[in-house]
Amino acid sequence: MSSNSISENTHHKERKLIDYFTFNTDHKVIGIQYLVTSFLFYFIGGAFAEVVRTELATPDPDFVSPELYNQIFTLHGTIMIFLWIVPAGAAFANYLIPLMIGTDDMAFPRLNAIAFWMIPPGGILLLSSFLVGAPQSGWTSYPPLSLMTGKWGEEFWILSLLLLGTSSILGGINFATTILKMRMKDMDLHSMPLFCWAMLATSALILLSTPVLAGALILLSFDLMAGTNFFNPSGGGDPVVYQHLFWFYSHPAVYIMILPFFGIVSEVIPVHSRKPIFGYRAIAYSSLAISFLGLIVWAHHMFTSGTPGWLRMFFMATTMLIAVPTGIKVFSWCATMWGGKIELNSPMLFSIGFLSSFLIGGITGVMVASVPFDIHVHDTYFIVGHFHYVLFGGSALALFSGFYHWFPKMTGKNYHEGLGQLHFILTFVGLNLTFMPMHQLGLMGMNRRIALYDIEFQPLNLLSTAGAYTMAISTLPFVINVAWSLFKGTQAERNPWRALTLEWQTASPPIIENFEEEPVLWSGPYDYGIDEEYDYEQETVSDMLADVGVK
């Protein structure tokens, strides 16, 4: 589609169940494909986490062999990052962006489908590495360890990440082009939803940083398969160069993983607080600031890798500086809720849980940005606790918030509120029980990535394991809720939350071409101060526009 308005095209035929299992160019079908696939890998990666925590319940390596333990925690990290959180963000972006900006598809529908269909082969390739000896060197795959622990398993890991990275780049091109070129004619940049701003910043990060990781992986593959010595110290290579290249992508990857969910929280909080978002432009520009600063902080992961003192100071300062735009977002969300008519339903509970968890992750992030403290806790369980509060407490809780918020729109069915709240309670309790003790374990000196530890660490490890089991149990009400709602749930209204962004102007689920008629911006996306002037139960867009005096 080349127009920025709703076209009369008919390139999508009537939707059938088989469409969700085949190559399809409808952005809504692709969004669901991304979401379901990412959750399949979430369950696999989560099962691996339970194996790791079961092993760590006792000081001795008595549940799985040390070799298998290394393989499982390597695949757990890789799957959760590259096959769950990143594709889940793309799922919401695929489904929502065209609806939010009032168009009928992504800029490049076929490229969109190709990007998705790189993910299943990437995941299968990664899991099939067990057949040849899965990688054991962690999701960072640092040489020389990765060059010593099994050639074919590492090669499968590299090929899998190259596929997933290419998929991510294609998605980033599509999101940025769609947002910049296909907005409806009345929607300027400062009147589009904040989720679109978040995806614009995410796309910029993807396009700037992912090719660097691809280059590092290709060179590592040469070392493995062709006997070159780019990173092999025994042949004159420098493994620290790999760390620079890896973290140039992988620190921005933290923001690639979390910026889409910042956007989701920015959509959920004003709707369920019945207040305009506080600091729209501050939130929008802070996403871009995070995107820029995210590119100049990578070496804070390498304070103990022989980094010169002056360079440590630079990266310490830039890493701490990134707390400013992040803090702007947190204060803006809190200010939005302040004095609002907050409804504590499942989307809002998960958003509030996200805020508290991300705040802990952010504070400990500032702590590890400090060179003296980072040197003390480097490669300890303090780091594991910190990044799980950021990534699971941040990304996952916001993901579930968005999932419940848009479930009626995506499926046309209402979810069970009681099961949603039970899901939140178990997840939030399990999260804190699992990851909070890790901070103390790190301060006490327990190293990460080990299956064998001193007996003095066992009580806190038992707490963490109990928390991990609680989180595993929390998936039951989630799965039951989805299944029950799809088959037994009541029919959802067009706009059950009385929200103002454009996706709520169409049917639930949206029709094939998204809108019955071209949507019109009759208000800003967060103008909840004019609630009384708008009857949200109107059946058609024309009725809504006529009701507010727009012809």
Side-chain angles (χ1 to χ4, degrees):
M1 178 183 172
S2 58
S3 167
N4 62 354
S5 63
I6 298 300
S7 69
E8 296 180 352
N9 70 63
T10 55
H11 62 280
H12 299 312
K13 299 177 180 178
E14 186 178 355
R15 195 174 302 139
K16 300 175 182 176
L17 182 61
I18 192 67
D19 291 339
Y20 295 96
F21 299 94
T22 56
F23 189 92
N24 191 287
T25 56
D26 185 341
H27 73 97
K28 300 180 290 299
V29 172
I30 294 172
I32 298 296
Q33 288 174 328
Y34 265 104
L35 196 60
V36 172
T37 304
S38 65
F39 266 101
L40 287 177
F41 283 108
Y42 166 61
F43 294 130
I44 295 171
F48 286 166
E50 298 303 320
V51 173
V52 169
R53 284 312 321 170
T54 301
E55 173 55 61
L56 292 174
T58 60
D60 300 320
D62 47 11
F63 183 64
V64 293
S65 69
E67 183 182 58
L68 183 57
Y69 175 86
N70 290 343
Q71 293 172 340
I72 286 176
F73 86 69
T74 296
L75 263 62
H76 160 71
T78 306
I79 288 172
M80 289 307 219
I81 291 170
F82 295 103
L83 287 161
W84 180 46
I85 289 294
V86 173
F92 285 100
N94 267 293
Y95 199 95
L96 294 173
I97 286 175
L99 292 168
M100 283 182 162
I101 64 174
T103 188
D104 62 351
D105 211 332
M106 301 291 284
F108 309 112
R110 288 183 177 81
L111 199 67
N112 204 20
I114 291 170
F116 166 73
W117 282 104
M118 287 184 171
I119 292 177
I124 292 169
L125 191 62
L126 184 66
L127 291 173
S128 62
S129 67
F130 276 112
L131 300 175
V132 295
Q136 301 183 50
S137 50
W139 81 280
T140 57
S141 202
Y142 280 171
L145 182 62
S146 56
L147 301 174
M148 300 162 54
T149 54
K151 183 164 68 174
W152 286 106
E154 284 293 334
E155 192 62 28
F156 275 41
W157 181 87
I158 290 170
L159 292 174
S160 171
L161 261 61
L162 287 175
L163 270 176
L164 299 173
T166 304
S167 165
S168 189
I169 290 171
L170 297 181
I173 292 171
N174 224 344
F175 298 145
T177 308
T178 304
I179 292 168
L180 293 176
K181 293 293 185 182
M182 296 183 65
R183 297 189 311 279
M184 59 184 297
K185 58 185 178 183
D186 295 329
M187 180 182 285
D188 60 26
L189 284 174
H190 291 119
S191 58
M192 71 179 184
L194 286 165
F195 178 73
C196 298
W197 275 100
M199 286 311 304
L200 198 57
T202 305
S203 300
L205 263 182
I206 290 171
L207 297 179
L208 290 170
S209 63
T210 309
V212 177
L213 175 66
L217 295 179
I218 291 170
L219 295 180
L220 185 62
S221 183
F222 284 161
D223 279 4
L224 274 166
M225 307 304 290
T228 57
N229 292 298
F230 292 107
F231 308 126
N232 190 351
S234 65
D238 189 349
V240 176
V241 173
Y242 174 86
Q243 293 187 31
H244 279 289
L245 295 173
F246 179 84
W247 286 114
F248 184 82
Y249 164 79
S250 295
H251 190 82
V254 173
Y255 303 106
I256 291 170
M257 285 182 265
I258 205 164
L259 272 171
F261 301 105
F262 283 172
I264 284 175
V265 170
S266 297
E267 300 300 326
V268 170
I269 286 179
V271 173
H272 298 277
S273 299
R274 311 312 303 170
K275 276 188 64 185
I277 191 84
F278 183 90
Y280 172 93
R281 294 197 179 199
I283 294 176
Y285 294 158
S286 65
S287 293
L288 299 181
I290 289 171
S291 181
F292 170 72
L293 290 172
L295 292 168
I296 55 172
V297 301
W298 78 89
H300 85 255
H301 293 272
M302 301 163 58
F303 285 158
T304 60
S305 301
T307 307
W310 65 270
L311 202 56
R312 285 176 174 175
M313 293 303 104
F314 172 78
F315 282 104
M316 182 176 76
T318 54
T319 306
M320 288 185 171
L321 192 61
I322 210 166
V324 175
T326 310
I328 287 172
K329 286 182 181 295
V330 172
F331 284 118
S332 295
W333 293 323
C334 292
T336 302
M337 289 190 290
W338 184 269
K341 298 175 182 177
I342 297 175
E343 187 175 354
L344 290 177
N345 50 28
S346 299
M348 195 62 180
L349 285 172
F350 273 104
S351 274
I352 293 173
F354 153 83
L355 271 174
S356 61
S357 300
F358 183 74
L359 193 61
I360 294 171
I363 291 172
T364 53
V366 173
M367 293 167 69
V368 298
S370 170
V371 174
F373 186 80
D374 182 77
I375 290 173
H376 177 66
V377 300
H378 186 78
D379 263 347
T380 71
Y381 259 84
F382 189 94
I383 303 298
V384 181
H386 155 67
F387 72 69
H388 276 91
Y389 263 97
V390 172
L391 292 182
F392 192 89
S395 300
L397 293 185
L399 188 164
F400 285 123
S401 175
F403 181 86
Y404 285 109
H405 181 70
W406 282 291
F407 185 85
K409 177 57 62 182
M410 292 179 174
T411 65
K413 296 294 183 70
N414 291 309
Y415 66 86
H416 191 285
E417 183 58 45
L419 287 171
Q421 294 187 12
L422 178 61
H423 176 209
F424 166 74
I425 292 169
L426 290 172
T427 304
F428 193 70
V429 171
L431 182 158
N432 285 286
L433 198 56
T434 304
F435 302 123
M436 186 60 78
M438 291 182 181
H439 295 95
Q440 182 61 27
L441 284 169
L443 293 174
M444 292 166 66
M446 180 173 166
N447 286 333
R448 59 195 287 200
R449 306 189 184 100
I450 56 171
L452 173 67
Y453 59 81
D454 193 279
I455 196 168
E456 69 170 316
F457 302 134
Q458 187 175 19
L460 289 173
N461 272 296
L462 276 175
L463 275 180
S464 278
T465 301
Y469 290 166
T470 306
M471 281 200 288
I473 294 169
S474 76
T475 59
L476 291 177
F478 170 68
V479 172
I480 293 169
N481 200 352
V482 172
W484 180 89
S485 302
L486 287 176
F487 294 105
K488 298 289 185 182
T490 56
Q491 189 66 36
E493 300 172 21
R494 174 195 298 266
N495 189 358
W497 310 123
R498 299 188 301 149
L500 299 179
T501 42
L502 291 182
E503 76 272 22
W504 300 103
Q505 288 191 14
T506 188
S508 300
I511 62 172
I512 297 290
E513 301 301 340
N514 285 354
F515 297 93
E516 296 93 337
E517 52 192 284
E518 188 168 342
V520 176
L521 282 180
W522 63 272
S523 76
Y526 311 108
D527 291 343
Y528 292 104
I530 58 172
D531 278 359
E532 295 76 11
E533 299 177 19
Y534 176 48
D535 180 1
Y536 295 92
E537 300 303 320
Q538 295 288 348
E539 289 297 322
T540 68
V541 176
S542 297
D543 290 339
M544 289 191 295
L545 297 176
D547 192 59
V548 295
V550 177
K551 298 181 180 178

